Amino acid sequence: MHRLRTYTVVPALPEPLSRLRELSYNYWWSWNSDARELFRRLDPDLWEDVVHNPVKFLAHLAQRRLDQAAVDKAFLAHMQRVLGAFDNYMNREGWFAKSFPDLKDARVAYFSMEFGIHESLPIYSGGLGILAGDHLKSASDLGIPLVAVGLLYRFGYFQQRMTADGWQLEEYPASDFYQIPLLPELGADGRPVKLALPIGEREVHALVWKAQIGRIPLYLLDTDLSENDPRDRETTARLYGGDEEMRIRQEILLGIGGLRALNKVGQPPDVCHMNEGHSAFLTLEQIHQRRTEGGLDFGEAREAVTGALVFTTHTPVPAGIDRFEEELLEKYISPYLPSIGLSLKEFTALGKVDASDPKEEFCMAVLALRLAGASNGVSALHGHVSREMWHHVWPGAPREEVPITSITNGIHISTWIAPEMADLLDRYVGPTWTEDPVDHDVWRRVDEIPDLELWRAHERRRIALVAFARKRLKEQYRRRGATPAEVKSADELLDPDALTIGFARRFAPYKRGALLFQNMERLLRILQNKDRPVQFIFAGKAHPRDENGKAVIKEIFNHLQDEFLGRRIVFIENYDITVARVLVQGVDVWLNNPIKPREASGTSGMKVGPNGGLNLSVLDGWWPEAYDGENGWAIDEGRIYDDPSYRDHIESEAIYDLIEKEIVPAFYVRGADNVPRGWTDRMKASMRTICPMFNTNRMLEEYAARLYVPAAHRWRHLSANAYAAAKALSQWKRRLATDWSNVRVEHVEADDARELPVGAEVRVQAQVHLGKVRPDDVVVELYHGRIDPHGQLVEGSAEEMRCGNHLDNGAFTYDGTIPCRRSGQHGYAIRVMPRHQDLTHRYDTGLIHWG
């Protein structure tokens, strides 16, 4: 074919409507219902046909309709109201600037493999991406100086289609980037910004696009360019597609290419936040840049970089972590190693728990944990699981002191709340719920919403959900070649007045999508109650290479072939943001039954909270922090079972019991006005307790105060005066590592009688040999705690010992006391640890001596 010259055509908007284009290219409209309604009123049918994509909408809207709107006073007044709110939002001073005025000019870069902003930008697969999208929206709301980096996938994640026998098929329709709310980023010369970097044997070129998420720019890299080798164009073809070689190519592009892209567009970061380990190769580029600009060696550059890195792990299952064979690292990472001053072996050691084990694969999470100054899990329980999972990265560290904290996930409420519920909150709670959703006092006012109004608003959403499900089911039947009569039969499926329970998520086996069908006799008993009908709506995708996950979906489909079951339980294909939004806004109960403790957080259940839905969930992920006995139901008592079959039996029976004995009666016991007062009490309890805590504004405030701000301050301190502090810290670590082998506890004396009363103290004196190590460089501690039945010290805490006399040959005396606060058997040990004001955490050096 002849080489083509291309140009872009944009809608011919009449002058009074000219700002609609600006509005369409800022995803702010995706969480502002008034803005969405502005577009919809121009042509409601077309708005639905383009799946709520305003750029595509304006491109397809008839010119005649635009001309009519340009002289329609009502429409213009609506537009001015929306634009006024938009301008106010974009220009107002945010929470961050008020809280941390000294860091107004700082910049946090947030790296993620996927972003779930809106269905019009299909570069997400599930919870990780949806969380990343909500992260950006709340960062915008709070005015956090954040930029985001990802990849722009031509085919995105797959679209799901089901065969007649229930087997999942994957389709990959190509996205037209010029029909999506994003634009190529332009440089100072007005030309699109491109970058090039070595990936394997070739230099790969990437175009930088930008999606604007309120006040947050999201930069996306695209290698589908004519100047690239066809194999390299595939790098950004599919999200989570291809083999391990494709994965390492994508992760080099995301981490190294993404950081270079930020520098190229004039957004160099102070702090980098790695959302999962996919972007951990950015550490190489960070170290390379510090060495180049500061003339530092590797150790000095590492100290400068580490303090400004944040890592969030989302995976409590080791099999879900990216790992690479050394051959792939040699092929793809070797070109970058000379510039950071490491050999392949030295670099590989950074990504291994045990560097001496030749069989251990390089792990991206270990690389991130080793080099990040701060790491966190995504719920309190997941923080505990992560410390158990990764404690070997820090040998000698008690599990409770492993430097992985937790910040529980949340949702962006304005994105997920139904317009009817938002209107109720505006009228009875006040507008503060959008401006400050973290304020518990605001959410206590949900009690002022009349039960009747709350119930009617929720009923309208359930009716909308049933209508949506029927429409989708008709489309599914047509694609499978069903007869007109079979297609029409979809109008008889589901009941808009019935208790509706939703189950929708990624169909990984540990999420147990088919647990509901464990005991068919009990399930049928629930479904056959004509006076108190119950129905279930399922949706979800299995990874294309997850045959077990696909088998779970097929099992559900097989059950639905039963004529009766098929009327009460439906499966909606192609789970995406559109389906998720309608589901969480319309279901009465959200079912979640993963195998504990494999759910890191789980945010889908949080989305039903502001919509008046209730959770029925295993006490895993976020639910142990939220459940209080009145705001939903817990399937288990927090137990972990060794026998999978017994576990599934117990927990499925618990689901049936709760539905039959508690949920159904609460839903169907009505007053004279047909309102279930007990149910609306639970709805309000759910909104009161879940909304102020499990939202991304609270989450981002925690990230900012606990991780971003300290990291930004560390960066400024370590990089000041030509990296003086980073150099000093590196030299101190080298000296300490050289001298540490001579550190030992030589002698201990204590009044640790066999029995001591509560309130007493154990006095301990130790003689510690430090050799050439100075007392100021260490802390000597009494680490003490309760002894469990297995003879292990648990619930440990530390008491610092005071340095006393300097003895001969580098020895010192140390004195300390242990308070006896609780009865029972207790124990203690003495430990010596490095201490320096610039260490990111106490296990930063990897050095510890236990006496």
Side-chain angles (χ1 to χ4, degrees), residues 464-539:
L465 167 58
V466 169
F468 174 85
R470 288 171 174 173
K471 180 181 178 182
R472 281 296 188 100
L473 290 166
K474 284 182 176 181
E475 295 170 1
Q476 292 172 198
Y477 290 174
R478 289 191 188 100
R479 280 195 297 270
R480 294 181 206 146
T483 66
E486 289 172 324
V487 173
K488 186 172 176 55
S489 70
D491 287 330
E492 305 301 319
L493 301 178
L494 304 178
D495 177 351
D497 296 320
L499 170 62
T500 303
I501 300 176
F503 182 99
R505 52 192 36 85
R506 182 169 55 90
F507 268 79
Y510 81 86
K511 293 180 183 282
R512 295 189 294 181
L515 187 65
L516 182 69
F517 303 91
Q518 183 86 0
N519 185 334
M520 291 302 300
E521 181 181 346
R522 293 211 55 186
L523 178 59
L524 285 169
R525 192 166 77 202
I526 292 168
L527 297 176
Q528 288 170 343
N529 188 332
K530 295 180 181 179
D531 297 327
R532 294 180 168 186
V534 179
Q535 60 197 12
F536 294 84
I537 300 178
F538 282 79

Side-chain angles (χ1 to χ4, degrees), residues 171-201:
E171 297 178 357
Y172 292 90
S175 294
D176 180 355
F177 297 154
Y178 292 93
Q179 297 274 308
I180 294 175
L182 73 163
L183 293 166
E185 178 71 358
L186 304 180
D189 58 0
R191 299 166 63 88
V193 174
K194 292 183 180 180
L195 61 114
L197 70 162
I199 301 182
E201 303 126 356

Side-chain angles (χ1 to χ4, degrees), residues 396-415:
R399 284 167 173 67
E400 57 266 32
E401 291 190 355
V402 167
I404 302 176
T405 186
S406 63
I407 294 178
T408 302
N409 284 343
I411 63 158
H412 188 251
I413 293 178
S414 295
T415 292

Side-chain angles (χ1 to χ4, degrees), residues 102-106 270 711-720:
D102 61 319
L103 292 176
K104 285 183 180 180
D105 59 341
D270 298 88
H713 284 144
R714 282 197 301 268
W715 163 245
R716 290 187 173 185
H717 169 64
L718 291 167
S719 62

